[in-house]
Amino acid sequence: MFHSDVVGSLLRPSYLKEAREQFAAGNLTDAEFKRIEDRAVDECVGVQDKAGIEVITDGEMRRYAFYGHLIDAVEGFDKYGGWAIPFRDEKGEQLALPRPVVVSKLRRKRPLCAEEFTYLRARTRRPAKTTIVSAQQAAAYYDRSKSSSAYATVDAYLADLVDILRDEVAELIRLGCTYIQIDSPQYTALLDPQLREGYRQRGNDPDRLLDLSIAMDNAVIGEHPGITFGLHLCRGNNQSKFYAAGDYSPITRIFRNTKFQRFLLEFDDERSGGFEPLREVPEDRIVVLGLVSSKKPQLESKKELRTRIEGAAACIPMERLALSPQCGFASTIEGNLITPADQQAKLQLVAEMAQEMWGSCIPAG
C-alpha cells in the first residue's frame, strides 16, 4: 500500500530535448542517444528519491508523449496524421495536439516498455512502476476515412491492439514488474459533448465505447495474482492545458466493472467535480487523489490538502486513500508551464503529506 505516488512523466531536461532533435536528424548514433536518455532517467530517479516518493517511474524520458512507446514500437501508425483535439486553459487560450492515426496493419517491432522498466529496476531500490497506454486511449487513433483500408472496423483494429498490449503486460511481469499503470484520459473524453461527437464522426459510438473499453482493459491486464494494476484518469494534460471537464459520475461503472486495484484520479480543481462518485469504488480498491496540480506553479498548502483529503474520506475510508500529483508534469515532451524547482517542491509536498496523513515511512534522499 503506497500512500505517495507519481503519475508518470517528469519534465524533460533541455539537453534531452536537443538530443532527440539531433538523433532524429541523424547527427547522433544510437549509442550516443541512449547514453543521454540514461542520464535523464538517472536524474529523474534522483528527483523522486530526494522528494521521498514511495513508488517511482522513469519519468517517461524515453517517450515524446505518454503514448509514444506505442507509436514508436508498433508499425502501422501515421505519427501526426490523426484527429487533432483542442486543449485549452482557464483564459480560453487553445492549442491543437495532432495525434496518431492507424493507416496499416499493426506489427510490434520491439517491446513497448521493457527497456524502460529494466533500466529503472537497476537504478533504484524503491518499488518501480511502468506506465502503458490503454486500448481505450488508442481507440481515438482510428479514423474510418484513413484507417479502413487497414481495418474495416474499429473492432478489428482494437482486437489487434489488445493482443499487443496484453503481450506487453505479460513481458513486463516476466521481467519483474509488480506495478503497472494503464493511462486512459480518453475515458473522460466521453464526458465532453464535443469530443463525443468527434468519436461519432470517425466511426466510434461513444456510448458503446465505454463498455467496450472496460472489456478491453480487463482483457489487457488479465489475471496476474500479486501484480498491482492502476488506472489513471484525467481530463487532458498538454503544456498546462486540458480538453475536458466534468465529474466522474457518468463513468463510475469503470470503478465497479474493471479489475484495477488502484484508481489514480484528477481532483486538483473544480473541473473534476466533487468526491461523491468515490462512493461507487468497491471496498477492496484504492483511490489515489490527484490533488497537487502538475499544471500550475503555485504550491498547494498543507492545510488545503488536509481539508481536501478529509473531504474525500467522507466518501471512502481514509485507509483506502493515497496522494499524487493530478497528472504527469510532461505528458508531452514540451512539458507543463512550471520549472524543475516547482516540480521538486510539489513532489516533496506529496511525500510529506503522505507521511503526515498516513505515516508513509520511506525516507527522502
Side-chain angles (χ1 to χ4, degrees), residues 67 69-71 73-74 77 106 108 112-113 131-139 141 157-173 180-183 213 216-217 219-222 224 229:
Y67 50 80
H69 58 310
L70 174 69
I71 308 308
V74 177
F77 293 101
L106 300 185
R108 191 171 80 156
L112 281 66
C113 309
T131 61
I132 184 171
V133 69
S134 72
Q136 196 274 346
Q137 172 70 27
Y141 307 156
Y157 157 63
L158 292 173
D160 279 359
L161 186 68
V162 166
D163 284 344
I164 289 171
L165 296 176
R166 185 165 48 200
D167 288 347
E168 189 69 21
V169 164
E171 176 67 3
L172 285 168
I173 292 170
I180 300 172
Q181 176 183 303
I182 309 294
D183 288 325
S213 299
M216 288 191 297
D217 278 336
V220 167
I221 66 179
H224 298 284
F229 287 94

mmCIF file of all heavy atoms in Angstrom, residues 67 69-71 73-74 77 106 108 112-113 131-139 141 157-173 180-183 213 216-217 219-222 224 229:
data_model
loop_
_atom_site.group_PDB
_atom_site.id
_atom_site.type_symbol
_atom_site.label_atom_id
_atom_site.label_comp_id
_atom_site.label_asym_id
_atom_site.label_seq_id
_atom_site.Cartn_x
_atom_site.Cartn_y
_atom_site.Cartn_z
ATOM 1 N N TYR A 67 1.985 8.404 -24.778
ATOM 2 C CA TYR A 67 1.637 7.276 -25.643
ATOM 3 C C TYR A 67 2.733 6.949 -26.651
ATOM 4 O O TYR A 67 2.558 6.082 -27.517
ATOM 5 C CB TYR A 67 0.336 7.585 -26.390
ATOM 6 C CG TYR A 67 0.320 8.931 -27.075
ATOM 7 C CD1 TYR A 67 0.936 9.129 -28.301
ATOM 8 C CD2 TYR A 67 -0.305 10.020 -26.481
ATOM 9 C CE1 TYR A 67 0.937 10.369 -28.916
ATOM 10 C CE2 TYR A 67 -0.307 11.273 -27.082
ATOM 11 C CZ TYR A 67 0.310 11.443 -28.303
ATOM 12 O OH TYR A 67 0.317 12.678 -28.898
ATOM 13 N N HIS A 69 5.494 5.328 -26.550
ATOM 14 C CA HIS A 69 6.041 3.969 -26.588
ATOM 15 C C HIS A 69 5.257 3.080 -27.538
ATOM 16 O O HIS A 69 5.822 2.199 -28.186
ATOM 17 C CB HIS A 69 6.056 3.363 -25.183
ATOM 18 C CG HIS A 69 4.712 3.317 -24.531
ATOM 19 N ND1 HIS A 69 3.887 4.401 -24.460
ATOM 20 C CD2 HIS A 69 4.044 2.303 -23.920
ATOM 21 C CE1 HIS A 69 2.757 4.067 -23.830
ATOM 22 N NE2 HIS A 69 2.827 2.802 -23.508
ATOM 23 N N LEU A 70 3.949 3.315 -27.662
ATOM 24 C CA LEU A 70 3.138 2.538 -28.593
ATOM 25 C C LEU A 70 3.477 2.906 -30.037
ATOM 26 O O LEU A 70 3.713 2.026 -30.884
ATOM 27 C CB LEU A 70 1.654 2.789 -28.326
ATOM 28 C CG LEU A 70 0.685 2.144 -29.324
ATOM 29 C CD1 LEU A 70 0.683 0.628 -29.183
ATOM 30 C CD2 LEU A 70 -0.722 2.703 -29.151
ATOM 31 N N ILE A 71 3.532 4.189 -30.314
ATOM 32 C CA ILE A 71 3.721 4.642 -31.688
ATOM 33 C C ILE A 71 5.113 4.298 -32.196
ATOM 34 O O ILE A 71 5.294 3.923 -33.365
ATOM 35 C CB ILE A 71 3.474 6.163 -31.781
ATOM 36 C CG1 ILE A 71 2.108 6.525 -31.163
ATOM 37 C CG2 ILE A 71 3.572 6.630 -33.222
ATOM 38 C CD1 ILE A 71 0.945 5.726 -31.694
ATOM 39 N N ALA A 73 7.058 1.827 -31.097
ATOM 40 C CA ALA A 73 7.364 0.394 -31.068
ATOM 41 C C ALA A 73 6.490 -0.439 -31.994
ATOM 42 O O ALA A 73 6.823 -1.591 -32.281
ATOM 43 C CB ALA A 73 7.227 -0.135 -29.639
ATOM 44 N N VAL A 74 5.390 0.138 -32.453
ATOM 45 C CA VAL A 74 4.429 -0.628 -33.256
ATOM 46 C C VAL A 74 4.283 0.020 -34.626
ATOM 47 O O VAL A 74 3.950 1.208 -34.741
ATOM 48 C CB VAL A 74 3.066 -0.713 -32.551
ATOM 49 C CG1 VAL A 74 2.047 -1.442 -33.432
ATOM 50 C CG2 VAL A 74 3.204 -1.426 -31.204
ATOM 51 N N PHE A 77 1.162 3.170 -37.630
ATOM 52 C CA PHE A 77 0.595 4.471 -37.314
ATOM 53 C C PHE A 77 1.250 5.587 -38.134
ATOM 54 O O PHE A 77 2.464 5.570 -38.370
ATOM 55 C CB PHE A 77 0.790 4.799 -35.826
ATOM 56 C CG PHE A 77 0.016 3.906 -34.894
ATOM 57 C CD1 PHE A 77 0.659 2.860 -34.228
ATOM 58 C CD2 PHE A 77 -1.330 4.112 -34.678
ATOM 59 C CE1 PHE A 77 -0.045 2.046 -33.366
ATOM 60 C CE2 PHE A 77 -2.049 3.292 -33.818
ATOM 61 C CZ PHE A 77 -1.409 2.251 -33.164
ATOM 62 N N LEU A 106 -1.181 -3.394 -37.759
ATOM 63 C CA LEU A 106 -0.252 -3.240 -36.646
ATOM 64 C C LEU A 106 0.744 -4.397 -36.622
ATOM 65 O O LEU A 106 0.378 -5.554 -36.820
ATOM 66 C CB LEU A 106 -1.006 -3.196 -35.319
ATOM 67 C CG LEU A 106 -2.030 -2.068 -35.139
ATOM 68 C CD1 LEU A 106 -2.600 -2.098 -33.729
ATOM 69 C CD2 LEU A 106 -1.426 -0.704 -35.442
ATOM 70 N N ARG A 108 4.162 -5.292 -34.053
ATOM 71 C CA ARG A 108 5.073 -4.873 -32.994
ATOM 72 C C ARG A 108 6.512 -5.084 -33.428
ATOM 73 O O ARG A 108 6.939 -6.211 -33.686
ATOM 74 C CB ARG A 108 4.795 -5.645 -31.693
ATOM 75 C CG ARG A 108 5.528 -5.049 -30.495
ATOM 76 C CD ARG A 108 5.100 -5.670 -29.188
ATOM 77 N NE ARG A 108 5.736 -6.955 -28.955
ATOM 78 C CZ ARG A 108 5.917 -7.488 -27.738
ATOM 79 N NH1 ARG A 108 5.506 -6.844 -26.666
ATOM 80 N NH2 ARG A 108 6.487 -8.654 -27.618
ATOM 81 N N LEU A 112 7.342 -2.516 -25.981
ATOM 82 C CA LEU A 112 6.985 -1.122 -25.747
ATOM 83 C C LEU A 112 7.722 -0.534 -24.547
ATOM 84 O O LEU A 112 8.179 0.611 -24.598
ATOM 85 C CB LEU A 112 5.472 -0.991 -25.519
ATOM 86 C CG LEU A 112 4.547 -1.010 -26.733
ATOM 87 C CD1 LEU A 112 4.555 -2.362 -27.438
ATOM 88 C CD2 LEU A 112 3.121 -0.652 -26.312
ATOM 89 N N CYS A 113 7.800 -1.303 -23.474
ATOM 90 C CA CYS A 113 8.256 -0.748 -22.189
ATOM 91 C C CYS A 113 9.409 -1.510 -21.545
ATOM 92 O O CYS A 113 9.855 -1.137 -20.462
ATOM 93 C CB CYS A 113 7.105 -0.737 -21.187
ATOM 94 S SG CYS A 113 5.587 0.019 -21.756
ATOM 95 N N THR A 131 4.314 2.750 -16.851
ATOM 96 C CA THR A 131 3.062 3.257 -17.400
ATOM 97 C C THR A 131 2.913 2.778 -18.834
ATOM 98 O O THR A 131 3.880 2.734 -19.591
ATOM 99 C CB THR A 131 3.019 4.796 -17.360
ATOM 100 O OG1 THR A 131 4.091 5.324 -18.154
ATOM 101 C CG2 THR A 131 3.174 5.303 -15.941
ATOM 102 N N ILE A 132 1.684 2.425 -19.192
ATOM 103 C CA ILE A 132 1.417 1.916 -20.536
ATOM 104 C C ILE A 132 0.079 2.476 -21.000
ATOM 105 O O ILE A 132 -0.863 2.614 -20.212
ATOM 106 C CB ILE A 132 1.427 0.366 -20.543
ATOM 107 C CG1 ILE A 132 1.260 -0.177 -21.953
ATOM 108 C CG2 ILE A 132 0.387 -0.208 -19.604
ATOM 109 C CD1 ILE A 132 1.491 -1.692 -22.040
ATOM 110 N N VAL A 133 -0.001 2.832 -22.257
ATOM 111 C CA VAL A 133 -1.223 3.414 -22.788
ATOM 112 C C VAL A 133 -2.321 2.355 -22.841
ATOM 113 O O VAL A 133 -2.051 1.160 -23.043
ATOM 114 C CB VAL A 133 -0.961 4.011 -24.188
ATOM 115 C CG1 VAL A 133 -0.698 2.916 -25.203
ATOM 116 C CG2 VAL A 133 -2.093 4.908 -24.633
ATOM 117 N N SER A 134 -3.563 2.783 -22.657
ATOM 118 C CA SER A 134 -4.682 1.839 -22.697
ATOM 119 C C SER A 134 -5.191 1.659 -24.121
ATOM 120 O O SER A 134 -5.017 2.518 -24.990
ATOM 121 C CB SER A 134 -5.840 2.350 -21.825
ATOM 122 O OG SER A 134 -6.460 3.458 -22.447
ATOM 123 N N ALA A 135 -5.858 0.545 -24.337
ATOM 124 C CA ALA A 135 -6.509 0.336 -25.632
ATOM 125 C C ALA A 135 -7.580 1.396 -25.860
ATOM 126 O O ALA A 135 -7.800 1.838 -26.996
ATOM 127 C CB ALA A 135 -7.109 -1.064 -25.690
ATOM 128 N N GLN A 136 -8.227 1.816 -24.801
ATOM 129 C CA GLN A 136 -9.271 2.842 -24.919
ATOM 130 C C GLN A 136 -8.697 4.161 -25.418
ATOM 131 O O GLN A 136 -9.293 4.838 -26.253
ATOM 132 C CB GLN A 136 -9.968 3.024 -23.570
ATOM 133 C CG GLN A 136 -11.288 3.764 -23.636
ATOM 134 C CD GLN A 136 -11.127 5.263 -23.583
ATOM 135 O OE1 GLN A 136 -10.066 5.767 -23.250
ATOM 136 N NE2 GLN A 136 -12.183 5.978 -23.930
ATOM 137 N N GLN A 137 -7.522 4.528 -24.903
ATOM 138 C CA GLN A 137 -6.855 5.741 -25.395
ATOM 139 C C GLN A 137 -6.554 5.605 -26.882
ATOM 140 O O GLN A 137 -6.797 6.516 -27.676
ATOM 141 C CB GLN A 137 -5.562 5.967 -24.614
ATOM 142 C CG GLN A 137 -4.680 7.085 -25.142
ATOM 143 C CD GLN A 137 -5.257 8.464 -24.917
ATOM 144 O OE1 GLN A 137 -6.027 8.666 -23.985
ATOM 145 N NE2 GLN A 137 -4.894 9.421 -25.756
ATOM 146 N N ALA A 138 -6.030 4.458 -27.262
ATOM 147 C CA ALA A 138 -5.641 4.251 -28.660
ATOM 148 C C ALA A 138 -6.827 4.047 -29.582
ATOM 149 O O ALA A 138 -6.670 4.084 -30.810
ATOM 150 C CB ALA A 138 -4.683 3.063 -28.757
ATOM 151 N N ALA A 139 -8.027 3.859 -29.027
ATOM 152 C CA ALA A 139 -9.214 3.803 -29.879
ATOM 153 C C ALA A 139 -9.404 5.116 -30.627
ATOM 154 O O ALA A 139 -9.960 5.142 -31.735
ATOM 155 C CB ALA A 139 -10.454 3.500 -29.036
ATOM 156 N N TYR A 141 -7.251 6.651 -32.113
ATOM 157 C CA TYR A 141 -6.347 6.693 -33.258
ATOM 158 C C TYR A 141 -6.940 5.984 -34.479
ATOM 159 O O TYR A 141 -6.236 5.771 -35.470
ATOM 160 C CB TYR A 141 -4.993 6.065 -32.897
ATOM 161 C CG TYR A 141 -4.361 6.641 -31.650
ATOM 162 C CD1 TYR A 141 -3.436 5.913 -30.909
ATOM 163 C CD2 TYR A 141 -4.699 7.912 -31.182
ATOM 164 C CE1 TYR A 141 -2.859 6.432 -29.753
ATOM 165 C CE2 TYR A 141 -4.136 8.435 -30.027
ATOM 166 C CZ TYR A 141 -3.220 7.682 -29.316
ATOM 167 O OH TYR A 141 -2.661 8.193 -28.172
ATOM 168 N N TYR A 157 -9.375 -3.361 -35.530
ATOM 169 C CA TYR A 157 -8.160 -2.656 -35.083
ATOM 170 C C TYR A 157 -7.917 -2.898 -33.598
ATOM 171 O O TYR A 157 -6.800 -3.241 -33.174
ATOM 172 C CB TYR A 157 -8.318 -1.172 -35.393
ATOM 173 C CG TYR A 157 -7.476 -0.239 -34.567
ATOM 174 C CD1 TYR A 157 -6.077 -0.265 -34.614
ATOM 175 C CD2 TYR A 157 -8.075 0.717 -33.743
ATOM 176 C CE1 TYR A 157 -5.319 0.615 -33.852
ATOM 177 C CE2 TYR A 157 -7.329 1.602 -32.993
ATOM 178 C CZ TYR A 157 -5.952 1.543 -33.042
ATOM 179 O OH TYR A 157 -5.203 2.413 -32.283
ATOM 180 N N LEU A 158 -8.954 -2.731 -32.781
ATOM 181 C CA LEU A 158 -8.790 -2.862 -31.333
ATOM 182 C C LEU A 158 -8.450 -4.289 -30.930
ATOM 183 O O LEU A 158 -7.739 -4.503 -29.946
ATOM 184 C CB LEU A 158 -10.060 -2.380 -30.622
ATOM 185 C CG LEU A 158 -10.316 -0.865 -30.731
ATOM 186 C CD1 LEU A 158 -11.672 -0.503 -30.140
ATOM 187 C CD2 LEU A 158 -9.198 -0.077 -30.053
ATOM 188 N N ALA A 159 -8.916 -5.260 -31.678
ATOM 189 C CA ALA A 159 -8.571 -6.652 -31.372
ATOM 190 C C ALA A 159 -7.069 -6.863 -31.485
ATOM 191 O O ALA A 159 -6.441 -7.495 -30.619
ATOM 192 C CB ALA A 159 -9.326 -7.598 -32.303
ATOM 193 N N ASP A 160 -6.460 -6.347 -32.557
ATOM 194 C CA ASP A 160 -5.009 -6.462 -32.701
ATOM 195 C C ASP A 160 -4.285 -5.673 -31.626
ATOM 196 O O ASP A 160 -3.258 -6.119 -31.080
ATOM 197 C CB ASP A 160 -4.578 -5.950 -34.079
ATOM 198 C CG ASP A 160 -4.769 -6.976 -35.179
ATOM 199 O OD1 ASP A 160 -5.222 -8.102 -34.873
ATOM 200 O OD2 ASP A 160 -4.464 -6.662 -36.349
ATOM 201 N N LEU A 161 -4.796 -4.504 -31.308
ATOM 202 C CA LEU A 161 -4.167 -3.660 -30.303
ATOM 203 C C LEU A 161 -4.177 -4.325 -28.930
ATOM 204 O O LEU A 161 -3.166 -4.322 -28.207
ATOM 205 C CB LEU A 161 -4.886 -2.311 -30.250
ATOM 206 C CG LEU A 161 -4.270 -1.262 -29.343
ATOM 207 C CD1 LEU A 161 -2.931 -0.809 -29.893
ATOM 208 C CD2 LEU A 161 -5.209 -0.080 -29.188
ATOM 209 N N VAL A 162 -5.307 -4.902 -28.561
ATOM 210 C CA VAL A 162 -5.401 -5.583 -27.264
ATOM 211 C C VAL A 162 -4.391 -6.721 -27.186
ATOM 212 O O VAL A 162 -3.743 -6.917 -26.149
ATOM 213 C CB VAL A 162 -6.839 -6.087 -27.022
ATOM 214 C CG1 VAL A 162 -6.882 -7.091 -25.868
ATOM 215 C CG2 VAL A 162 -7.761 -4.907 -26.716
ATOM 216 N N ASP A 163 -4.222 -7.465 -28.259
ATOM 217 C CA ASP A 163 -3.239 -8.560 -28.253
ATOM 218 C C ASP A 163 -1.834 -8.022 -27.986
ATOM 219 O O ASP A 163 -1.060 -8.605 -27.213
ATOM 220 C CB ASP A 163 -3.269 -9.299 -29.593
ATOM 221 C CG ASP A 163 -4.468 -10.217 -29.732
ATOM 222 O OD1 ASP A 163 -5.104 -10.512 -28.700
ATOM 223 O OD2 ASP A 163 -4.772 -10.621 -30.871
ATOM 224 N N ILE A 164 -1.486 -6.903 -28.617
ATOM 225 C CA ILE A 164 -0.152 -6.317 -28.425
ATOM 226 C C ILE A 164 0.030 -5.864 -26.983
ATOM 227 O O ILE A 164 1.061 -6.132 -26.347
ATOM 228 C CB ILE A 164 0.048 -5.145 -29.406
ATOM 229 C CG1 ILE A 164 0.204 -5.668 -30.831
ATOM 230 C CG2 ILE A 164 1.259 -4.298 -29.008
ATOM 231 C CD1 ILE A 164 0.180 -4.591 -31.900
ATOM 232 N N LEU A 165 -0.958 -5.188 -26.431
ATOM 233 C CA LEU A 165 -0.849 -4.684 -25.061
ATOM 234 C C LEU A 165 -0.842 -5.817 -24.045
ATOM 235 O O LEU A 165 -0.121 -5.769 -23.046
ATOM 236 C CB LEU A 165 -1.989 -3.706 -24.769
ATOM 237 C CG LEU A 165 -1.986 -2.415 -25.600
ATOM 238 C CD1 LEU A 165 -3.214 -1.573 -25.278
ATOM 239 C CD2 LEU A 165 -0.712 -1.618 -25.369
ATOM 240 N N ARG A 166 -1.623 -6.843 -24.294
ATOM 241 C CA ARG A 166 -1.657 -7.983 -23.376
ATOM 242 C C ARG A 166 -0.307 -8.693 -23.360
ATOM 243 O O ARG A 166 0.189 -9.076 -22.292
ATOM 244 C CB ARG A 166 -2.773 -8.948 -23.794
ATOM 245 C CG ARG A 166 -2.992 -10.106 -22.840
ATOM 246 C CD ARG A 166 -4.309 -10.786 -23.118
ATOM 247 N NE ARG A 166 -4.504 -11.064 -24.539
ATOM 248 C CZ ARG A 166 -5.690 -11.292 -25.090
ATOM 249 N NH1 ARG A 166 -6.775 -11.254 -24.343
ATOM 250 N NH2 ARG A 166 -5.796 -11.556 -26.372
ATOM 251 N N ASP A 167 0.307 -8.835 -24.518
ATOM 252 C CA ASP A 167 1.641 -9.447 -24.583
ATOM 253 C C ASP A 167 2.659 -8.587 -23.842
ATOM 254 O O ASP A 167 3.569 -9.108 -23.194
ATOM 255 C CB ASP A 167 2.068 -9.625 -26.038
ATOM 256 C CG ASP A 167 1.303 -10.729 -26.751
ATOM 257 O OD1 ASP A 167 0.610 -11.519 -26.073
ATOM 258 O OD2 ASP A 167 1.399 -10.793 -27.998
ATOM 259 N N GLU A 168 2.520 -7.275 -23.941
ATOM 260 C CA GLU A 168 3.450 -6.378 -23.262
ATOM 261 C C GLU A 168 3.326 -6.498 -21.748
ATOM 262 O O GLU A 168 4.328 -6.515 -21.029
ATOM 263 C CB GLU A 168 3.205 -4.933 -23.697
ATOM 264 C CG GLU A 168 4.248 -3.954 -23.214
ATOM 265 C CD GLU A 168 5.606 -4.140 -23.874
ATOM 266 O OE1 GLU A 168 5.670 -4.740 -24.968
ATOM 267 O OE2 GLU A 168 6.607 -3.672 -23.299
ATOM 268 N N VAL A 169 2.111 -6.579 -21.264
ATOM 269 C CA VAL A 169 1.899 -6.767 -19.827
ATOM 270 C C VAL A 169 2.557 -8.057 -19.355
ATOM 271 O O VAL A 169 3.250 -8.084 -18.331
ATOM 272 C CB VAL A 169 0.388 -6.765 -19.506
ATOM 273 C CG1 VAL A 169 0.115 -7.336 -18.114
ATOM 274 C CG2 VAL A 169 -0.164 -5.346 -19.602
ATOM 275 N N ALA A 170 2.367 -9.131 -20.094
ATOM 276 C CA ALA A 170 2.981 -10.407 -19.725
ATOM 277 C C ALA A 170 4.502 -10.309 -19.701
ATOM 278 O O ALA A 170 5.163 -10.866 -18.815
ATOM 279 C CB ALA A 170 2.518 -11.501 -20.690
ATOM 280 N N GLU A 171 5.083 -9.591 -20.662
ATOM 281 C CA GLU A 171 6.536 -9.434 -20.708
ATOM 282 C C GLU A 171 7.038 -8.604 -19.530
ATOM 283 O O GLU A 171 8.068 -8.929 -18.921
ATOM 284 C CB GLU A 171 6.941 -8.782 -22.032
ATOM 285 C CG GLU A 171 8.430 -8.481 -22.174
ATOM 286 C CD GLU A 171 9.300 -9.725 -22.241
ATOM 287 O OE1 GLU A 171 8.765 -10.855 -22.245
ATOM 288 O OE2 GLU A 171 10.539 -9.573 -22.295
ATOM 289 N N LEU A 172 6.327 -7.534 -19.180
ATOM 290 C CA LEU A 172 6.727 -6.714 -18.038
ATOM 291 C C LEU A 172 6.715 -7.534 -16.753
ATOM 292 O O LEU A 172 7.622 -7.438 -15.914
ATOM 293 C CB LEU A 172 5.800 -5.508 -17.900
ATOM 294 C CG LEU A 172 6.015 -4.392 -18.919
ATOM 295 C CD1 LEU A 172 4.850 -3.399 -18.868
ATOM 296 C CD2 LEU A 172 7.338 -3.675 -18.668
ATOM 297 N N ILE A 173 5.711 -8.359 -16.592
ATOM 298 C CA ILE A 173 5.621 -9.194 -15.391
ATOM 299 C C ILE A 173 6.765 -10.213 -15.379
ATOM 300 O O ILE A 173 7.384 -10.464 -14.337
ATOM 301 C CB ILE A 173 4.245 -9.879 -15.332
ATOM 302 C CG1 ILE A 173 3.156 -8.816 -15.100
ATOM 303 C CG2 ILE A 173 4.206 -10.935 -14.232
ATOM 304 C CD1 ILE A 173 1.747 -9.332 -15.249
ATOM 305 N N ILE A 180 1.850 -1.921 -12.626
ATOM 306 C CA ILE A 180 1.662 -1.441 -13.993
ATOM 307 C C ILE A 180 0.482 -0.477 -14.005
ATOM 308 O O ILE A 180 -0.616 -0.827 -13.568
ATOM 309 C CB ILE A 180 1.410 -2.607 -14.964
ATOM 310 C CG1 ILE A 180 2.601 -3.568 -14.965
ATOM 311 C CG2 ILE A 180 1.139 -2.089 -16.375
ATOM 312 C CD1 ILE A 180 2.367 -4.848 -15.750
ATOM 313 N N GLN A 181 0.730 0.722 -14.488
ATOM 314 C CA GLN A 181 -0.317 1.743 -14.579
ATOM 315 C C GLN A 181 -0.783 1.879 -16.017
ATOM 316 O O GLN A 181 0.027 2.052 -16.924
ATOM 317 C CB GLN A 181 0.212 3.082 -14.072
ATOM 318 C CG GLN A 181 -0.767 4.249 -14.222
ATOM 319 C CD GLN A 181 -0.140 5.544 -13.778
ATOM 320 O OE1 GLN A 181 0.323 5.674 -12.643
ATOM 321 N NE2 GLN A 181 -0.098 6.524 -14.669
ATOM 322 N N ILE A 182 -2.089 1.801 -16.216
ATOM 323 C CA ILE A 182 -2.694 1.984 -17.525
ATOM 324 C C ILE A 182 -3.206 3.421 -17.615
ATOM 325 O O ILE A 182 -3.992 3.854 -16.773
ATOM 326 C CB ILE A 182 -3.851 0.997 -17.754
ATOM 327 C CG1 ILE A 182 -3.422 -0.452 -17.458
ATOM 328 C CG2 ILE A 182 -4.405 1.137 -19.159
ATOM 329 C CD1 ILE A 182 -2.389 -1.013 -18.377
ATOM 330 N N ASP A 183 -2.747 4.154 -18.617
ATOM 331 C CA ASP A 183 -3.137 5.558 -18.783
ATOM 332 C C ASP A 183 -4.285 5.670 -19.771
ATOM 333 O O ASP A 183 -4.162 5.262 -20.927
ATOM 334 C CB ASP A 183 -1.952 6.386 -19.276
ATOM 335 C CG ASP A 183 -0.903 6.592 -18.199
ATOM 336 O OD1 ASP A 183 -1.280 6.723 -17.017
ATOM 337 O OD2 ASP A 183 0.286 6.619 -18.528
ATOM 338 N N SER A 213 -14.474 -0.486 -23.800
ATOM 339 C CA SER A 213 -13.174 -0.141 -23.227
ATOM 340 C C SER A 213 -12.933 -0.857 -21.914
ATOM 341 O O SER A 213 -11.810 -1.289 -21.624
ATOM 342 C CB SER A 213 -13.081 1.371 -23.037
ATOM 343 O OG SER A 213 -13.199 2.047 -24.267
ATOM 344 N N MET A 216 -11.931 -4.252 -22.824
ATOM 345 C CA MET A 216 -10.568 -4.285 -23.343
ATOM 346 C C MET A 216 -9.549 -4.159 -22.221
ATOM 347 O O MET A 216 -8.544 -4.890 -22.189
ATOM 348 C CB MET A 216 -10.367 -3.162 -24.365
ATOM 349 C CG MET A 216 -11.077 -3.393 -25.678
ATOM 350 S SD MET A 216 -10.579 -2.217 -26.967
ATOM 351 C CE MET A 216 -11.123 -0.652 -26.257
ATOM 352 N N ASP A 217 -9.772 -3.249 -21.289
ATOM 353 C CA ASP A 217 -8.839 -3.096 -20.173
ATOM 354 C C ASP A 217 -8.731 -4.385 -19.372
ATOM 355 O O ASP A 217 -7.637 -4.808 -18.984
ATOM 356 C CB ASP A 217 -9.275 -1.948 -19.262
ATOM 357 C CG ASP A 217 -8.850 -0.587 -19.784
ATOM 358 O OD1 ASP A 217 -7.872 -0.523 -20.555
ATOM 359 O OD2 ASP A 217 -9.478 0.415 -19.419
ATOM 360 N N ALA A 219 -9.235 -7.360 -20.447
ATOM 361 C CA ALA A 219 -8.518 -8.353 -21.253
ATOM 362 C C ALA A 219 -7.021 -8.090 -21.230
ATOM 363 O O ALA A 219 -6.215 -9.029 -21.184
ATOM 364 C CB ALA A 219 -9.043 -8.333 -22.683
ATOM 365 N N VAL A 220 -6.626 -6.820 -21.258
ATOM 366 C CA VAL A 220 -5.204 -6.481 -21.267
ATOM 367 C C VAL A 220 -4.541 -6.867 -19.958
ATOM 368 O O VAL A 220 -3.453 -7.458 -19.943
ATOM 369 C CB VAL A 220 -5.017 -4.974 -21.551
ATOM 370 C CG1 VAL A 220 -3.581 -4.543 -21.260
ATOM 371 C CG2 VAL A 220 -5.361 -4.661 -23.003
ATOM 372 N N ILE A 221 -5.170 -6.568 -18.828
ATOM 373 C CA ILE A 221 -4.500 -6.841 -17.548
ATOM 374 C C ILE A 221 -4.657 -8.298 -17.124
ATOM 375 O O ILE A 221 -3.830 -8.807 -16.358
ATOM 376 C CB ILE A 221 -4.959 -5.881 -16.433
ATOM 377 C CG1 ILE A 221 -6.426 -6.085 -16.071
ATOM 378 C CG2 ILE A 221 -4.722 -4.448 -16.850
ATOM 379 C CD1 ILE A 221 -6.897 -5.158 -14.947
ATOM 380 N N GLY A 222 -5.688 -8.968 -17.625
ATOM 381 C CA GLY A 222 -5.803 -10.411 -17.392
ATOM 382 C C GLY A 222 -5.864 -10.788 -15.924
ATOM 383 O O GLY A 222 -6.345 -10.028 -15.079
ATOM 384 N N HIS A 224 -3.360 -11.852 -12.997
ATOM 385 C CA HIS A 224 -1.966 -11.928 -12.561
ATOM 386 C C HIS A 224 -1.891 -11.682 -11.057
ATOM 387 O O HIS A 224 -1.695 -10.542 -10.616
ATOM 388 C CB HIS A 224 -1.095 -10.922 -13.309
ATOM 389 C CG HIS A 224 -1.019 -11.133 -14.785
ATOM 390 N ND1 HIS A 224 -0.246 -12.136 -15.348
ATOM 391 C CD2 HIS A 224 -1.632 -10.499 -15.815
ATOM 392 C CE1 HIS A 224 -0.374 -12.090 -16.675
ATOM 393 N NE2 HIS A 224 -1.200 -11.115 -16.975
ATOM 394 N N PHE A 229 -2.340 -3.339 -10.584
ATOM 395 C CA PHE A 229 -2.677 -2.588 -11.781
ATOM 396 C C PHE A 229 -3.402 -1.309 -11.377
ATOM 397 O O PHE A 229 -4.363 -1.342 -10.603
ATOM 398 C CB PHE A 229 -3.577 -3.411 -12.709
ATOM 399 C CG PHE A 229 -2.855 -4.526 -13.411
ATOM 400 C CD1 PHE A 229 -2.851 -5.805 -12.873
ATOM 401 C CD2 PHE A 229 -2.157 -4.295 -14.587
ATOM 402 C CE1 PHE A 229 -2.182 -6.844 -13.510
ATOM 403 C CE2 PHE A 229 -1.484 -5.328 -15.231
ATOM 404 C CZ PHE A 229 -1.499 -6.604 -14.690
#
